[in-house]
Every structure is written in structure tokens, then in C-alpha cells.
Amino acid sequence: MKNRMLLLLFAIQAATFITTNAQVTKTSSGIIVNAGGHRVGLFTTNNAAFCLSLHAATPLLIKSTFIEIQRTSSPYTVISAPPLYGIKTAFGQITINATTGTWSLYDAKGQPLIQDGTYRFTDTSVEINHTTQGVLYGSGNISSKDLKKNQSASAVGNGVAGIPYLWNNTGYSAFGVSNNDNTPATWTNTHQQLTWKFPSKAANLYLWPASTIYEGANGYVKLTGKPKLPPRWAFGYLQSQWGWEDSTYISNVLTKFRTHHLPVDAFIFDFEWYTTTPDYSVGKAGKEGYNDFSFNPKLFPRPAKQIADMKAQGVKFIGIRKPRLGNDKRLDTARQNGWLNNPDTDSRDLNFSNANLRKWFEARTKPMLQTGVDAWWDDEGESYYTCYYWWNTAQYHLLSAVRPNYRHFTINRAFSPGNQRFGYCTWDGDIQSSWSSLADVPKDLLNFSLAGMYYGACDIGGFHGTPEKETLVRWFQAGVFFPIMRSHSDLGTTARFPFLWGNDGEAAMRKALELRYQLLPYIYSLGHEAYSTGAPVMRPLVMEFPTDTTVANMTDEWLLGKGLLAAPLLNPGGKRNVYLPAGTWYDYFNGDVIAGPKTIAVDKQLDEIPVYVRAGTILPISPVVQYSEQTTTAPLEMHIYPGKNGQFKMVEDDGTSYNYIKGAIRTTMFSWDDTTKTFSWEVSGAYAGKNVYKTMKVVVGKEEQRAAIGKAGKLTF
């Protein structure tokens, strides 16, 4: 409090401030202060955050793959109240005591967020400390599957990632950058003492005031980069398996999906698409004749024609990739050029951070893209923390050369900060086909959402083993409400093709798939919201109900956007309890109205899903289609849930290019006035492709009205 009073007593000097006692040096992005026996940098960056910079020599903004490359400093003024010095921006202020080295963080109103920050150098590291009273979120899923966190971890693994980030419900976010991205900073919270550790003698701790998780996420994407949208087809259903047998088998499966009216947008192929045998038994020296970079003729004797035929039926091609080589001659080349990650071990993993290796890799991958591959499934790239970043860098660069302006999409088994800049999906690893694994999936994906991974997925049905029919159906139903909906299965298990699971199983899974495709306008618009604001597609309830202690750590229910609550069955028997927070809620399927906060008991048949909609929600519902790019003249349905005013911004674009970044979108702002029972809309933007909706049916309870969308309109109920 004394420090804060001093700030009020002394003037904030202009940005041209120059000290007379050499305590402070001004730079283009902030100041460097002689404090506590060290030089400490107080910087701003990306119009988003402060940076507390410590270095054994001169403080600086460390170059990192985690940070958006186009750094811009925020406008700031210098605070001079000796021994206090600092900088002030529109979003807050940071100060340091030149005598003691104690630093403080304040919000835009001057309210203290951290007041007792300290730091220390060891022989090999830097530590930054302060006390905290808050609840912490956001470090990924490697240290704990709980939403509430007490630590982070500096590692990635099979479906897990530790991220050097946190949001504190006392009102701020923090993100750490060390001198080496492959040994990231970590933090721990022990007895209300929060300690950041940086495993080198340089540290950047980014800090920004954030009163909500939304504000924390907004600052995160300003700092680390916006989450680019995958192609729209990636929001549909993606069918994967290990065990595609041959070309006839692939053709027959596609025919069954279409004749059984099971919507699907992509087939994902495991090892067998490019090689006759997996490489797990290949030794350090490689195997003569091993195929790393072409099609297996048993499955794809005429790959270009087969892939074109698939696409003509609305199905894209996604192929698995490994971060290593199996071919002996190619391994020799990689070793001779120093392109392996750990050349002194038996590892065959490539070091994708090497620019020459990336160029070589792209040249050998290029023919497969030219043949028609749409996207990649990158697996087992956890040998170093930034492997997936550099691997995707190579793939992104190659795609932009072969197919300019086409959206990059990959499915990856882990992530590091900044990977969202690619249009990047992470699935939560090679999990078991069990009820407990199903229950763990939303824990993983919600933790992904809170740690900057916007497109989470899983192996629906589990990877290892064959699930019970009920387990698989419930998994499909949960998957409707994941950012990316993808099933997968291990070699030798029953594929997760719905038509293999009996008439009742197939019917229930078809119903779930149809619901997913009906929700595509909503989910895809949430992708645009994520790009614009950083708000995740899949959100824990605590984001909308931060003062409700019941939902502070809840993971068996979640929200898509602000208003659609999914509470799928994650246990056998069809029964569960559902908690509905404060407000008015509607049962999505029967329209029953429920006043929250309330816990209700539900008992659902195999084909039923507990789904609830918050009053004030405007939900766009698509006609059922068999793949996302299928055109239809049927109207868009707009479902209004009265009881509160509401708005929803629906965004349409071409679904495949990056033109949306340049503003080539059509935005329709829908509004509901609950007092006058008036539904109105206004359209903006220049995009006018053939896929935009032209008519709609507006549904409020049992009332319906139809209208042309046009440029604007109004309906009263």
C-alpha cells in the first residue's frame, strides 16, 4: 500500500524520460532499471502484456517460437517515484523498487494485483516469486487433469502438454519464456507462494491484468498469436483407423457411409497408406528399401484418381506422418548432414528446427501433396518440446507453395505455445477403450482450451481395445461437442464405423453425427470468435459462472460458446446428474424449462443426449448434410431461447482459404429483444459465395416464421 501511495504522490513522466542518476535506461519497448543489484527490464509487447526481463548481462525480449513474431510495443509512459520506477500503459502498470528489487503489477485502475514480487539468480537459473491468494488455471494437462492447478511442467508426451502459462482469478495472467524453448519455464504454487523457475540465466515473465479467463485468453493470443481456422470440413466428422486393408476395402467403407446416410468429411489413414509394415522394429541404421515418402500400392495403386474419387464424394484424405526415417539410405543422409535430433542415440527422429532438413523434407513430401493429400496426422513427435512446432513449420511452408492460400490443418499428439498459429489440432493420445478414458477426455480437452490449444480432439472409442457398444455410442455423443470430432482404433480391433455396431448402435451414432452437422454454423462461428478474441470453442462452465464454486473444477459438463451446455453420458446405464447454474435453461430436445441453479437427475435411452440451452441464446441450426461442403437449398433454422436478451454473430466464408483474415467474410448479427419479442438481424461483409445461407426459419418455442436473410430484417413474435 505504501508503494501505491508513493505512485499517487509522484508524477508520471513523459515517454521521453531520462534519469539524472543513471538508475533507468529507456529503450524502444520499455525501461531497464538498476534494481536489487541487477539490471531489470520492464517492457511492453504486442499491445498485450508487460515483460519482466531478467538476464545475467543485459535484459532483453528473448526470441521464442512461443511469441508472435510481429512484436509491437504498447504506448507507455515512464513512472518515476524514486526508488520506484515503472511503466504505465492503457491496460495497467508495472513497477520495481530500485533499492530492494521488489516488483509490483497493477491493473488499469491502479488496483494492485501483485505487490511483493521478488527474483533471484542461481548458478544455472532464474527464479521469480510472489505470494498469491487466488485459484490458478491454464497450464495444460500433464501435471494434473483438474482444471485448478498448482503447478506446470516443462514437457510434452503422449496426448499431454505442460504450458508455462496461468490465469489467476485474482485478476491477472502470466506466461514464462526461458532462453531455450525446449526447456521451458515452469511454475509451482506451494502454500500460497508462487515460484517461476527458468532453467537458464535469462528470463522473460509476461504479465497482463485479466479479470476473467476471457481476458486472459485474449491477452494470450495477442502475445502468442491468433488461432487460425482449420478448413471448414475439419469441423465435420473425421473417420480414422489403423487397419485399412486395401483399395477395395476403402471404397466399400466410403460407399457404406454414403448409402447408410452417415455424415463424414475425411478418412484418416495410419501406417498402411504409405508402407507395408510399421517401423517400430527398424533399428538405428534403418531398413533397406523402407518406404517413407510414397503411397502403398496395395491401398493406393492409383492414388491421384482414388483421392479425387473420394473428394468427389465429399471425403478428404488425411495421412499419418512420423517424425523419423525408416529408410537406411535416407538415414545415412540425415546423419551425415547432422539432421537427427539425438545423433548419439538409437533415435531416428529428425531435428525439424534445422532449416536445411526442413527444405529436404519438404522436397520429399511435395509429391504426396501434389497427388491430393489434404492434411496430415502427425504422431509421436514428443522427443523434444518444439518438435511439433518445427514439423508444422515445414508442412505449412510446403502447403503454401503447392496449394497457395489453402488452410493448413494437422492433427498432433501434443502442442507447445504458439502452435495455434498454424490451424492446429491436438488429440489426447493413445487412450484405452474404457469408460474411465471417456470420462478423462473432457478433462484433457478443457485443459487444452485453457492453455491455448483451441482445437482439441480424441480417439472416439479409445485406441487400445474394442469398446462396448454403449461406450462407443456415448463417446460419439460426447464427440459432437468437442472442437474436432474424430474416431480412431488400433490394429486388430473393431473399427469405429457406425454400421459395424448393430442397428441400434448405428442409429444412435447417426443421430449424433446429424446433430454435429446441424451445429456446424454455430461451431464454425465459434472458431471465428476464437480467432478474433481468443475465446475457446469448448469452454469450462467456470468461464461463464466464475463465482459458482460448484463449477470451479467441473469437467463432466461444458459449454460450446456461451449458451450450449453439453452433459453427455460418461458412465454406463444411461443415468447421471446434471448441474445447471443460475439462470433459465431449456432442454434442447423437448423444450422443457428449468430454473437454475439446480441439479437434475436424467435417465436417457441409448440414442439420447443431455443437452441444455441458456436463455438468451440464439442457435443457428443447419439442415442435415452428408458432408460439410454439400450444398442445400433448405433454410437455416434460427432457434431462439427466450427469457433474456441475446445476440449471436454468425460468420460465413469460403471455408478453405485465408481470405477471412483479409475480411472476406459475411457476418450476420442476430439479436433477440426479450421485452418486445423481436428478432432482428443485420448482415455485413463482402463475401457472397454460393455456400451462404439465403433463407431461414425462425423458431421461438412453438412459433415459426420464415424470412429471406437479405441485408437486414426484423420479426416479431
Side-chain angles (χ1 to χ4, degrees), residues 46-67:
N46 287 24
N47 285 319
F50 297 110
C51 178
L52 177 66
S53 178
L54 298 165
H55 196 283
T58 301
L60 75 166
L61 292 173
I62 298 169
K63 185 178 180 180
S64 170
T65 63
F66 303 163
I67 305 298

mmCIF file with all atom_site columns, all heavy atoms in Angstrom, residues 46-67:
data_model
loop_
_atom_site.group_PDB
_atom_site.id
_atom_site.type_symbol
_atom_site.label_atom_id
_atom_site.label_alt_id
_atom_site.label_comp_id
_atom_site.label_asym_id
_atom_site.label_entity_id
_atom_site.label_seq_id
_atom_site.pdbx_PDB_ins_code
_atom_site.Cartn_x
_atom_site.Cartn_y
_atom_site.Cartn_z
_atom_site.occupancy
_atom_site.B_iso_or_equiv
_atom_site.pdbx_formal_charge
_atom_site.auth_seq_id
_atom_site.auth_comp_id
_atom_site.auth_asym_id
_atom_site.auth_atom_id
_atom_site.pdbx_PDB_model_num
ATOM 1   N N   . ASN A 1 46 ? 3.442  -6.415  -28.016 1.00 0.00 ? 46 ASN A N   1
ATOM 2   C CA  . ASN A 1 46 ? 2.250  -6.884  -28.733 1.00 0.00 ? 46 ASN A CA  1
ATOM 3   C C   . ASN A 1 46 ? 0.949  -6.233  -28.270 1.00 0.00 ? 46 ASN A C   1
ATOM 4   O O   . ASN A 1 46 ? -0.120 -6.821  -28.406 1.00 0.00 ? 46 ASN A O   1
ATOM 5   C CB  . ASN A 1 46 ? 2.129  -8.408  -28.632 1.00 0.00 ? 46 ASN A CB  1
ATOM 6   C CG  . ASN A 1 46 ? 3.143  -9.131  -29.495 1.00 0.00 ? 46 ASN A CG  1
ATOM 7   O OD1 . ASN A 1 46 ? 4.184  -8.590  -29.820 1.00 0.00 ? 46 ASN A OD1 1
ATOM 8   N ND2 . ASN A 1 46 ? 2.839  -10.352 -29.873 1.00 0.00 ? 46 ASN A ND2 1
ATOM 9   N N   . ASN A 1 47 ? 1.055  -5.023  -27.702 1.00 0.00 ? 47 ASN A N   1
ATOM 10  C CA  . ASN A 1 47 ? -0.144 -4.351  -27.178 1.00 0.00 ? 47 ASN A CA  1
ATOM 11  C C   . ASN A 1 47 ? -0.943 -5.260  -26.255 1.00 0.00 ? 47 ASN A C   1
ATOM 12  O O   . ASN A 1 47 ? -2.169 -5.196  -26.215 1.00 0.00 ? 47 ASN A O   1
ATOM 13  C CB  . ASN A 1 47 ? -1.042 -3.858  -28.314 1.00 0.00 ? 47 ASN A CB  1
ATOM 14  C CG  . ASN A 1 47 ? -0.490 -2.618  -28.988 1.00 0.00 ? 47 ASN A CG  1
ATOM 15  O OD1 . ASN A 1 47 ? 0.008  -1.724  -28.311 1.00 0.00 ? 47 ASN A OD1 1
ATOM 16  N ND2 . ASN A 1 47 ? -0.566 -2.575  -30.297 1.00 0.00 ? 47 ASN A ND2 1
ATOM 17  N N   . ALA A 1 48 ? -0.218 -6.101  -25.527 1.00 0.00 ? 48 ALA A N   1
ATOM 18  C CA  . ALA A 1 48 ? -0.915 -7.125  -24.759 1.00 0.00 ? 48 ALA A CA  1
ATOM 19  C C   . ALA A 1 48 ? -0.407 -7.266  -23.341 1.00 0.00 ? 48 ALA A C   1
ATOM 20  O O   . ALA A 1 48 ? -1.185 -7.519  -22.433 1.00 0.00 ? 48 ALA A O   1
ATOM 21  C CB  . ALA A 1 48 ? -0.783 -8.481  -25.467 1.00 0.00 ? 48 ALA A CB  1
ATOM 22  N N   . ALA A 1 49 ? 0.908  -7.157  -23.149 1.00 0.00 ? 49 ALA A N   1
ATOM 23  C CA  . ALA A 1 49 ? 1.468  -7.598  -21.887 1.00 0.00 ? 49 ALA A CA  1
ATOM 24  C C   . ALA A 1 49 ? 2.689  -6.784  -21.501 1.00 0.00 ? 49 ALA A C   1
ATOM 25  O O   . ALA A 1 49 ? 3.366  -6.181  -22.339 1.00 0.00 ? 49 ALA A O   1
ATOM 26  C CB  . ALA A 1 49 ? 1.853  -9.076  -21.984 1.00 0.00 ? 49 ALA A CB  1
ATOM 27  N N   . PHE A 1 50 ? 2.981  -6.809  -20.198 1.00 0.00 ? 50 PHE A N   1
ATOM 28  C CA  . PHE A 1 50 ? 4.264  -6.366  -19.698 1.00 0.00 ? 50 PHE A CA  1
ATOM 29  C C   . PHE A 1 50 ? 5.229  -7.546  -19.741 1.00 0.00 ? 50 PHE A C   1
ATOM 30  O O   . PHE A 1 50 ? 4.815  -8.702  -19.689 1.00 0.00 ? 50 PHE A O   1
ATOM 31  C CB  . PHE A 1 50 ? 4.150  -5.873  -18.257 1.00 0.00 ? 50 PHE A CB  1
ATOM 32  C CG  . PHE A 1 50 ? 3.261  -4.675  -18.090 1.00 0.00 ? 50 PHE A CG  1
ATOM 33  C CD1 . PHE A 1 50 ? 2.034  -4.787  -17.449 1.00 0.00 ? 50 PHE A CD1 1
ATOM 34  C CD2 . PHE A 1 50 ? 3.649  -3.436  -18.563 1.00 0.00 ? 50 PHE A CD2 1
ATOM 35  C CE1 . PHE A 1 50 ? 1.215  -3.691  -17.284 1.00 0.00 ? 50 PHE A CE1 1
ATOM 36  C CE2 . PHE A 1 50 ? 2.833  -2.327  -18.409 1.00 0.00 ? 50 PHE A CE2 1
ATOM 37  C CZ  . PHE A 1 50 ? 1.617  -2.455  -17.776 1.00 0.00 ? 50 PHE A CZ  1
ATOM 38  N N   . CYS A 1 51 ? 6.492  -7.237  -19.791 1.00 0.00 ? 51 CYS A N   1
ATOM 39  C CA  . CYS A 1 51 ? 7.508  -8.280  -19.691 1.00 0.00 ? 51 CYS A CA  1
ATOM 40  C C   . CYS A 1 51 ? 8.504  -7.882  -18.615 1.00 0.00 ? 51 CYS A C   1
ATOM 41  O O   . CYS A 1 51 ? 9.163  -6.838  -18.721 1.00 0.00 ? 51 CYS A O   1
ATOM 42  C CB  . CYS A 1 51 ? 8.231  -8.494  -21.023 1.00 0.00 ? 51 CYS A CB  1
ATOM 43  S SG  . CYS A 1 51 ? 9.529  -9.746  -20.931 1.00 0.00 ? 51 CYS A SG  1
ATOM 44  N N   . LEU A 1 52 ? 8.598  -8.697  -17.572 1.00 0.00 ? 52 LEU A N   1
ATOM 45  C CA  . LEU A 1 52 ? 9.631  -8.567  -16.554 1.00 0.00 ? 52 LEU A CA  1
ATOM 46  C C   . LEU A 1 52 ? 10.819 -9.380  -17.040 1.00 0.00 ? 52 LEU A C   1
ATOM 47  O O   . LEU A 1 52 ? 10.746 -10.610 -17.115 1.00 0.00 ? 52 LEU A O   1
ATOM 48  C CB  . LEU A 1 52 ? 9.113  -9.079  -15.210 1.00 0.00 ? 52 LEU A CB  1
ATOM 49  C CG  . LEU A 1 52 ? 10.099 -9.088  -14.042 1.00 0.00 ? 52 LEU A CG  1
ATOM 50  C CD1 . LEU A 1 52 ? 10.496 -7.669  -13.655 1.00 0.00 ? 52 LEU A CD1 1
ATOM 51  C CD2 . LEU A 1 52 ? 9.494  -9.821  -12.846 1.00 0.00 ? 52 LEU A CD2 1
ATOM 52  N N   . SER A 1 53 ? 11.885 -8.697  -17.421 1.00 0.00 ? 53 SER A N   1
ATOM 53  C CA  . SER A 1 53 ? 13.013 -9.356  -18.077 1.00 0.00 ? 53 SER A CA  1
ATOM 54  C C   . SER A 1 53 ? 14.236 -9.345  -17.174 1.00 0.00 ? 53 SER A C   1
ATOM 55  O O   . SER A 1 53 ? 14.664 -8.284  -16.695 1.00 0.00 ? 53 SER A O   1
ATOM 56  C CB  . SER A 1 53 ? 13.336 -8.655  -19.405 1.00 0.00 ? 53 SER A CB  1
ATOM 57  O OG  . SER A 1 53 ? 14.449 -9.261  -20.025 1.00 0.00 ? 53 SER A OG  1
ATOM 58  N N   . LEU A 1 54 ? 14.790 -10.533 -16.944 1.00 0.00 ? 54 LEU A N   1
ATOM 59  C CA  . LEU A 1 54 ? 15.990 -10.693 -16.129 1.00 0.00 ? 54 LEU A CA  1
ATOM 60  C C   . LEU A 1 54 ? 17.048 -11.399 -16.949 1.00 0.00 ? 54 LEU A C   1
ATOM 61  O O   . LEU A 1 54 ? 16.754 -12.362 -17.669 1.00 0.00 ? 54 LEU A O   1
ATOM 62  C CB  . LEU A 1 54 ? 15.673 -11.505 -14.873 1.00 0.00 ? 54 LEU A CB  1
ATOM 63  C CG  . LEU A 1 54 ? 14.639 -10.873 -13.933 1.00 0.00 ? 54 LEU A CG  1
ATOM 64  C CD1 . LEU A 1 54 ? 14.121 -11.889 -12.934 1.00 0.00 ? 54 LEU A CD1 1
ATOM 65  C CD2 . LEU A 1 54 ? 15.245 -9.675  -13.207 1.00 0.00 ? 54 LEU A CD2 1
ATOM 66  N N   . HIS A 1 55 ? 18.268 -10.942 -16.821 1.00 0.00 ? 55 HIS A N   1
ATOM 67  C CA  . HIS A 1 55 ? 19.360 -11.519 -17.605 1.00 0.00 ? 55 HIS A CA  1
ATOM 68  C C   . HIS A 1 55 ? 20.657 -11.266 -16.847 1.00 0.00 ? 55 HIS A C   1
ATOM 69  O O   . HIS A 1 55 ? 20.825 -10.215 -16.220 1.00 0.00 ? 55 HIS A O   1
ATOM 70  C CB  . HIS A 1 55 ? 19.414 -10.880 -18.998 1.00 0.00 ? 55 HIS A CB  1
ATOM 71  C CG  . HIS A 1 55 ? 20.239 -11.640 -19.988 1.00 0.00 ? 55 HIS A CG  1
ATOM 72  N ND1 . HIS A 1 55 ? 21.609 -11.608 -19.988 1.00 0.00 ? 55 HIS A ND1 1
ATOM 73  C CD2 . HIS A 1 55 ? 19.881 -12.445 -21.018 1.00 0.00 ? 55 HIS A CD2 1
ATOM 74  C CE1 . HIS A 1 55 ? 22.070 -12.365 -20.964 1.00 0.00 ? 55 HIS A CE1 1
ATOM 75  N NE2 . HIS A 1 55 ? 21.039 -12.892 -21.606 1.00 0.00 ? 55 HIS A NE2 1
ATOM 76  N N   . ALA A 1 56 ? 21.573 -12.228 -16.924 1.00 0.00 ? 56 ALA A N   1
ATOM 77  C CA  . ALA A 1 56 ? 22.851 -12.063 -16.238 1.00 0.00 ? 56 ALA A CA  1
ATOM 78  C C   . ALA A 1 56 ? 23.628 -10.873 -16.781 1.00 0.00 ? 56 ALA A C   1
ATOM 79  O O   . ALA A 1 56 ? 24.446 -10.280 -16.068 1.00 0.00 ? 56 ALA A O   1
ATOM 80  C CB  . ALA A 1 56 ? 23.670 -13.337 -16.370 1.00 0.00 ? 56 ALA A CB  1
ATOM 81  N N   . ALA A 1 57 ? 23.376 -10.523 -18.037 1.00 0.00 ? 57 ALA A N   1
ATOM 82  C CA  . ALA A 1 57 ? 24.040 -9.370  -18.646 1.00 0.00 ? 57 ALA A CA  1
ATOM 83  C C   . ALA A 1 57 ? 23.037 -8.240  -18.850 1.00 0.00 ? 57 ALA A C   1
ATOM 84  O O   . ALA A 1 57 ? 22.737 -7.474  -17.943 1.00 0.00 ? 57 ALA A O   1
ATOM 85  C CB  . ALA A 1 57 ? 24.692 -9.781  -19.964 1.00 0.00 ? 57 ALA A CB  1
ATOM 86  N N   . THR A 1 58 ? 22.454 -8.166  -20.063 1.00 0.00 ? 58 THR A N   1
ATOM 87  C CA  . THR A 1 58 ? 21.504 -7.098  -20.384 1.00 0.00 ? 58 THR A CA  1
ATOM 88  C C   . THR A 1 58 ? 20.111 -7.663  -20.592 1.00 0.00 ? 58 THR A C   1
ATOM 89  O O   . THR A 1 58 ? 19.924 -8.569  -21.410 1.00 0.00 ? 58 THR A O   1
ATOM 90  C CB  . THR A 1 58 ? 21.943 -6.357  -21.660 1.00 0.00 ? 58 THR A CB  1
ATOM 91  O OG1 . THR A 1 58 ? 23.251 -5.818  -21.454 1.00 0.00 ? 58 THR A OG1 1
ATOM 92  C CG2 . THR A 1 58 ? 20.968 -5.236  -21.997 1.00 0.00 ? 58 THR A CG2 1
ATOM 93  N N   . PRO A 1 59 ? 19.097 -7.176  -19.891 1.00 0.00 ? 59 PRO A N   1
ATOM 94  C CA  . PRO A 1 59 ? 17.729 -7.658  -20.103 1.00 0.00 ? 59 PRO A CA  1
ATOM 95  C C   . PRO A 1 59 ? 17.276 -7.421  -21.539 1.00 0.00 ? 59 PRO A C   1
ATOM 96  O O   . PRO A 1 59 ? 17.624 -6.403  -22.150 1.00 0.00 ? 59 PRO A O   1
ATOM 97  C CB  . PRO A 1 59 ? 16.897 -6.817  -19.129 1.00 0.00 ? 59 PRO A CB  1
ATOM 98  C CG  . PRO A 1 59 ? 17.873 -6.327  -18.116 1.00 0.00 ? 59 PRO A CG  1
ATOM 99  C CD  . PRO A 1 59 ? 19.169 -6.149  -18.835 1.00 0.00 ? 59 PRO A CD  1
ATOM 100 N N   . LEU A 1 60 ? 16.509 -8.367  -22.055 1.00 0.00 ? 60 LEU A N   1
ATOM 101 C CA  . LEU A 1 60 ? 16.034 -8.262  -23.431 1.00 0.00 ? 60 LEU A CA  1
ATOM 102 C C   . LEU A 1 60 ? 14.784 -9.098  -23.595 1.00 0.00 ? 60 LEU A C   1
ATOM 103 O O   . LEU A 1 60 ? 14.449 -9.921  -22.742 1.00 0.00 ? 60 LEU A O   1
ATOM 104 C CB  . LEU A 1 60 ? 17.108 -8.736  -24.408 1.00 0.00 ? 60 LEU A CB  1
ATOM 105 C CG  . LEU A 1 60 ? 17.361 -10.250 -24.543 1.00 0.00 ? 60 LEU A CG  1
ATOM 106 C CD1 . LEU A 1 60 ? 18.186 -10.517 -25.790 1.00 0.00 ? 60 LEU A CD1 1
ATOM 107 C CD2 . LEU A 1 60 ? 18.041 -10.832 -23.325 1.00 0.00 ? 60 LEU A CD2 1
ATOM 108 N N   . LEU A 1 61 ? 14.080 -8.870  -24.710 1.00 0.00 ? 61 LEU A N   1
ATOM 109 C CA  . LEU A 1 61 ? 12.961 -9.723  -25.082 1.00 0.00 ? 61 LEU A CA  1
ATOM 110 C C   . LEU A 1 61 ? 13.542 -10.930 -25.807 1.00 0.00 ? 61 LEU A C   1
ATOM 111 O O   . LEU A 1 61 ? 14.097 -10.821 -26.898 1.00 0.00 ? 61 LEU A O   1
ATOM 112 C CB  . LEU A 1 61 ? 11.986 -8.970  -25.983 1.00 0.00 ? 61 LEU A CB  1
ATOM 113 C CG  . LEU A 1 61 ? 11.220 -7.828  -25.328 1.00 0.00 ? 61 LEU A CG  1
ATOM 114 C CD1 . LEU A 1 61 ? 10.426 -7.052  -26.377 1.00 0.00 ? 61 LEU A CD1 1
ATOM 115 C CD2 . LEU A 1 61 ? 10.288 -8.345  -24.238 1.00 0.00 ? 61 LEU A CD2 1
ATOM 116 N N   . ILE A 1 62 ? 13.432 -12.094 -25.186 1.00 0.00 ? 62 ILE A N   1
ATOM 117 C CA  . ILE A 1 62 ? 14.030 -13.311 -25.719 1.00 0.00 ? 62 ILE A CA  1
ATOM 118 C C   . ILE A 1 62 ? 13.286 -13.746 -26.975 1.00 0.00 ? 62 ILE A C   1
ATOM 119 O O   . ILE A 1 62 ? 12.053 -13.793 -27.000 1.00 0.00 ? 62 ILE A O   1
ATOM 120 C CB  . ILE A 1 62 ? 13.988 -14.432 -24.667 1.00 0.00 ? 62 ILE A CB  1
ATOM 121 C CG1 . ILE A 1 62 ? 14.803 -14.030 -23.428 1.00 0.00 ? 62 ILE A CG1 1
ATOM 122 C CG2 . ILE A 1 62 ? 14.514 -15.748 -25.246 1.00 0.00 ? 62 ILE A CG2 1
ATOM 123 C CD1 . ILE A 1 62 ? 14.600 -14.960 -22.247 1.00 0.00 ? 62 ILE A CD1 1
ATOM 124 N N   . LYS A 1 63 ? 14.023 -14.072 -28.008 1.00 0.00 ? 63 LYS A N   1
ATOM 125 C CA  . LYS A 1 63 ? 13.409 -14.602 -29.226 1.00 0.00 ? 63 LYS A CA  1
ATOM 126 C C   . LYS A 1 63 ? 12.893 -16.003 -28.944 1.00 0.00 ? 63 LYS A C   1
ATOM 127 O O   . LYS A 1 63 ? 13.622 -16.867 -28.462 1.00 0.00 ? 63 LYS A O   1
ATOM 128 C CB  . LYS A 1 63 ? 14.417 -14.621 -30.370 1.00 0.00 ? 63 LYS A CB  1
ATOM 129 C CG  . LYS A 1 63 ? 13.824 -15.056 -31.698 1.00 0.00 ? 63 LYS A CG  1
ATOM 130 C CD  . LYS A 1 63 ? 14.862 -15.013 -32.808 1.00 0.00 ? 63 LYS A CD  1
ATOM 131 C CE  . LYS A 1 63 ? 14.261 -15.451 -34.139 1.00 0.00 ? 63 LYS A CE  1
ATOM 132 N NZ  . LYS A 1 63 ? 15.262 -15.421 -35.240 1.00 0.00 ? 63 LYS A NZ  1
ATOM 133 N N   . SER A 1 64 ? 11.625 -16.248 -29.263 1.00 0.00 ? 64 SER A N   1
ATOM 134 C CA  . SER A 1 64 ? 10.994 -17.521 -28.920 1.00 0.00 ? 64 SER A CA  1
ATOM 135 C C   . SER A 1 64 ? 9.958  -17.894 -29.964 1.00 0.00 ? 64 SER A C   1
ATOM 136 O O   . SER A 1 64 ? 9.241  -17.036 -30.483 1.00 0.00 ? 64 SER A O   1
ATOM 137 C CB  . SER A 1 64 ? 10.311 -17.414 -27.548 1.00 0.00 ? 64 SER A CB  1
ATOM 138 O OG  . SER A 1 64 ? 9.500  -18.538 -27.271 1.00 0.00 ? 64 SER A OG  1
ATOM 139 N N   . THR A 1 65 ? 9.861  -19.198 -30.248 1.00 0.00 ? 65 THR A N   1
ATOM 140 C CA  . THR A 1 65 ? 8.793  -19.680 -31.127 1.00 0.00 ? 65 THR A CA  1
ATOM 141 C C   . THR A 1 65 ? 7.426  -19.506 -30.489 1.00 0.00 ? 65 THR A C   1
ATOM 142 O O   . THR A 1 65 ? 6.411  -19.556 -31.179 1.00 0.00 ? 65 THR A O   1
ATOM 143 C CB  . THR A 1 65 ? 8.992  -21.165 -31.470 1.00 0.00 ? 65 THR A CB  1
ATOM 144 O OG1 . THR A 1 65 ? 8.903  -21.956 -30.268 1.00 0.00 ? 65 THR A OG1 1
ATOM 145 C CG2 . THR A 1 65 ? 10.328 -21.413 -32.129 1.00 0.00 ? 65 THR A CG2 1
ATOM 146 N N   . PHE A 1 66 ? 7.392  -19.314 -29.188 1.00 0.00 ? 66 PHE A N   1
ATOM 147 C CA  . PHE A 1 66 ? 6.118  -19.183 -28.482 1.00 0.00 ? 66 PHE A CA  1
ATOM 148 C C   . PHE A 1 66 ? 5.432  -17.849 -28.768 1.00 0.00 ? 66 PHE A C   1
ATOM 149 O O   . PHE A 1 66 ? 4.213  -17.745 -28.654 1.00 0.00 ? 66 PHE A O   1
ATOM 150 C CB  . PHE A 1 66 ? 6.322  -19.276 -26.965 1.00 0.00 ? 66 PHE A CB  1
ATOM 151 C CG  . PHE A 1 66 ? 6.990  -20.533 -26.474 1.00 0.00 ? 66 PHE A CG  1
ATOM 152 C CD1 . PHE A 1 66 ? 7.540  -20.580 -25.204 1.00 0.00 ? 66 PHE A CD1 1
ATOM 153 C CD2 . PHE A 1 66 ? 7.078  -21.666 -27.267 1.00 0.00 ? 66 PHE A CD2 1
ATOM 154 C CE1 . PHE A 1 66 ? 8.146  -21.724 -24.732 1.00 0.00 ? 66 PHE A CE1 1
ATOM 155 C CE2 . PHE A 1 66 ? 7.691  -22.820 -26.810 1.00 0.00 ? 66 PHE A CE2 1
ATOM 156 C CZ  . PHE A 1 66 ? 8.237  -22.842 -25.525 1.00 0.00 ? 66 PHE A CZ  1
ATOM 157 N N   . ILE A 1 67 ? 6.210  -16.830 -29.084 1.00 0.00 ? 67 ILE A N   1
ATOM 158 C CA  . ILE A 1 67 ? 5.703  -15.466 -29.174 1.00 0.00 ? 67 ILE A CA  1
ATOM 159 C C   . ILE A 1 67 ? 5.444  -15.095 -30.629 1.00 0.00 ? 67 ILE A C   1
ATOM 160 O O   . ILE A 1 67 ? 6.249  -15.400 -31.510 1.00 0.00 ? 67 ILE A O   1
ATOM 161 C CB  . ILE A 1 67 ? 6.701  -14.470 -28.551 1.00 0.00 ? 67 ILE A CB  1
ATOM 162 C CG1 . ILE A 1 67 ? 7.042  -14.879 -27.105 1.00 0.00 ? 67 ILE A CG1 1
ATOM 163 C CG2 . ILE A 1 67 ? 6.149  -13.059 -28.592 1.00 0.00 ? 67 ILE A CG2 1
ATOM 164 C CD1 . ILE A 1 67 ? 5.857  -14.893 -26.164 1.00 0.00 ? 67 ILE A CD1 1
#
